[in-house]
Every structure is written in C-alpha cells, then in structure tokens.
Amino acid sequence: QVSVLYFARSAELAGLRCETLSVPREITSLQLWEEIVKAHPRLAVIRDQVVFAVRQEYVLLGDQLLVLQPGDEVAIIPPISGG
C-alpha cells in the first residue's frame, strides 16, 4: 500500500487530497498511473501533463520500474502555472 497525494488540478479531478492505494510492489510508473486512473477516471485528462514524485523524487510516466515499499508516498503533480 502506498499513500497517494493529489495536488492542484489532480486533487480537483480526484475529489480528494490523499488516499491509500494497494498496488504491486514492483510496477512501472506508467502502470502505477493506470492504477490511479482506474480509481479516478477523471484524472485521464491530465495524463500528458502530470509528473509523479515517488519518495520526493520526480518520476516521468513511462517504463521506469519502481520498487515501492509499504507506506511510500506518491505525489501526483499536475502542471503549475505561475508568474
């Protein structure tokens, strides 16, 4: 189980700021995104803009293998505009 943290637009789309999800211990970043979208289909609209942070390190969506530990934090960070 991992803690998923939602920020900005991802929190709006998911309808919550954090939750615990059960996912495989070894999973690619893209597979992890697909598991999260299964739980919150509305997140699919930000797929091409989102970045993960796993254990506070940025991870791009793709075939990078993640080895998750129970209690790891996964942050969903959509694009943030600013000026």
Side-chain angles (χ1 to χ4, degrees):
Q1 289 195 334
V2 295
S3 297
V4 182
L5 311 176
Y6 300 93
F7 294 94
R9 180 115 169 94
S10 68
E12 294 171 22
L13 292 169
L16 69 168
R17 312 241 338 118
C18 64
E19 69 180 330
T20 301
L21 287 181
S22 293
V23 295
R25 185 169 183 263
E26 293 189 10
I27 189 169
T28 68
S29 56
L30 184 56
Q31 290 169 328
L32 179 57
W33 172 250
E34 291 167 352
E35 289 293 317
I36 292 168
V37 169
K38 273 189 217 172
H40 304 287
R42 294 177 60 202
L43 290 171
V45 299
I46 61 171
R47 182 204 185 281
D48 293 333
Q49 303 152 354
V50 77
V51 176
F52 277 165
V54 178
R55 293 183 297 272
Q56 301 181 355
E57 290 187 25
Y58 289 114
V59 176
L60 297 176
L61 295 185
D63 58 6
Q64 179 178 348
L65 185 64
L66 305 173
V67 179
L68 302 171
Q69 303 298 323
D72 276 353
E73 283 187 350
V74 176
I76 309 300
I77 305 170
I80 298 171
S81 62

